[in-house]
């Protein structure tokens, strides 16, 4: 099992550009989520999905879109990048709701917006 | 709203010293509590968890007890090793929402 994979590992964008961060898991987990990690702020939940076709907002959803067409994939889209979106992004998956089940994290994508 | 407050770091200890990292939480319901660890350059890994009051989570010599009366979930280890150097995150999960503390960096020196 590869677990949770993320691509790319590093990305530099100019303000206003768009891009998609990819996330895939091969554990047949229903729950997937995206976090951003900023110094002194810990990790904050951006969006999550409880299954294919179902997504919802987390704590900091503005500026990001998600969709979940398959169980395996959960891409995160930045439609118009801003310097405030410079961060490290982590994707995670779990068997069920995060209130009870362990989350498995990907290795992260380091994004810089200039 | 729900939140987690975690002891600020960084923390530097000598090998075999006792470790405590404080964590308190605010929650309206009955959350589960977690400690995650992040080694340099890696994603987070679950260290231990507790799903109800008075539960004790334990793993790799680390322990934490879910204390509802003091809304706390402090992480302890009796004798740290150099390999325990990492960033430790306290976290709260409720329903489909998850909240992390700001993280505490631990460095263990030989």
């Amino acid at each position: 099992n590869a677990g949770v994979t993320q691509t790319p590992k590093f990305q530099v964008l100019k303000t206003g550009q768009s891009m998609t961060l990819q996330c895939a898991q091969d554990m047949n987990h229903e729950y997937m989520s995206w976090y951003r990690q900023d110094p002194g702020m810990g990790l904050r939940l951006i969006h999550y999905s409880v299954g294919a076709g179902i997504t919802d907002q987390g704590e900091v959803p503005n500026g990001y879109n998600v969709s979940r067409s398959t169980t395996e994939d959960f891409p995160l889209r930045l439609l118009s990048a801003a310097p405030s979106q410079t961060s490290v992004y982590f994707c995670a998956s779990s068997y069920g709701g995060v209130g009870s089940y362990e989350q498995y994290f990907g290795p992260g994508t380091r994004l810089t917006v200039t | 709203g729900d939140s987690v407050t975690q002891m600020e770091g960084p923390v530097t200890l000598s090998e075999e010293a006792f470790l405590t990292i404080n964590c308190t939480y605010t929650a309206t319901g009955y959350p589960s509590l977690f400690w995650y660890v992040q080694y340099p350059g890696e994603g987070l890994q679950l260290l231990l968890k507790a799903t109800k009051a008075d539960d004790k989570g334990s793993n790799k010599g680390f322990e934490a007890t879910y204390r509802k009366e003091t809304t706390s979930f402090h992480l302890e280890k009796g004798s740290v090793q150099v390999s325990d150097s990492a960033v430790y995150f306290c976290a709260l999960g409720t329903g489909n929402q998850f909240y992390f503390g700001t993280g505490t960096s631990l460095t263990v020196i030989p």
Side-chain angles (χ1 to χ4, degrees):
Chain A
N1 280 355
V4 179
T5 58
Q6 291 183 239
T7 56
K9 291 199 73 164
F10 301 95
Q11 183 70 48
V12 179
L13 290 178
K14 293 190 186 324
T15 298
Q17 288 185 318
S18 63
M19 80 159 296
T20 299
L21 308 185
Q22 301 291 346
C23 174
Q25 53 91 9
D26 62 358
M27 297 173 280
N28 203 32
H29 284 168
E30 290 295 326
Y31 187 101
M32 296 186 73
S33 53
W34 277 102
Y35 295 87
R36 58 178 290 171
Q37 183 177 26
D38 301 296
M41 309 262 322
L43 281 79
R44 291 178 292 168
L45 182 63
I46 303 171
H47 285 286
Y48 66 93
S49 169
V50 300
I54 307 169
T55 64
D56 207 344
Q57 296 180 354
E59 190 181 355
V60 289
N62 292 341
Y64 308 94
N65 281 353
V66 292
S67 59
R68 184 101 177 268
S69 56
T70 67
T71 299
E72 294 77 19
D73 299 300
F74 190 45
L76 178 72
R77 297 185 188 84
L78 285 70
L79 297 179
S80 178
S84 60
Q85 293 179 304
T86 294
S87 188
V88 181
Y89 291 85
F90 288 98
C91 179
S93 74
S94 65
Y95 177 75
V98 293
S100 300
Y101 293 92
E102 174 181 0
Q103 293 189 79
Y104 295 82
F105 284 81
T109 295
R110 185 173 294 274
L111 175 68
T112 301
V113 182
T114 61
Chain B
D2 296 350
S3 65
V4 174
T5 301
Q6 187 175 342
M7 171 178 149
E8 302 242 347
V11 174
T12 302
L13 294 173
S14 297
E15 207 165 22
E16 299 184 1
F18 185 86
L19 169 71
T20 300
I21 301 178
N22 290 338
C23 171
T24 57
Y25 69 91
T26 301
T28 52
Y30 301 95
S32 294
L33 300 174
F34 304 80
W35 278 99
Y36 278 81
V37 58
Q38 185 178 32
Y39 297 103
E42 299 183 10
L44 279 72
Q45 305 172 25
L46 179 66
L47 181 60
L48 54 85
K49 72 175 188 181
T51 57
K52 62 183 187 298
D54 300 325
D55 270 2
K56 177 188 280 190
S58 61
N59 186 25
K60 299 181 182 178
F62 291 89
E63 292 184 341
T65 301
Y66 188 163
R67 301 272 188 216
K68 192 160 183 271
E69 63 277 11
T70 55
T71 61
S72 64
F73 193 55
H74 305 321
L75 182 69
E76 295 182 337
K77 187 175 185 183
S79 176
V80 294
Q81 305 301 312
V82 172
S83 57
D84 293 327
S85 298
V87 180
Y88 293 82
F89 292 91
C90 186
L92 175 158
T94 176
N96 289 316
Q97 295 288 338
F98 208 78
Y99 302 93
F100 281 94
T102 53
T104 300
S105 175
L106 170 67
T107 300
V108 180
I109 54 177

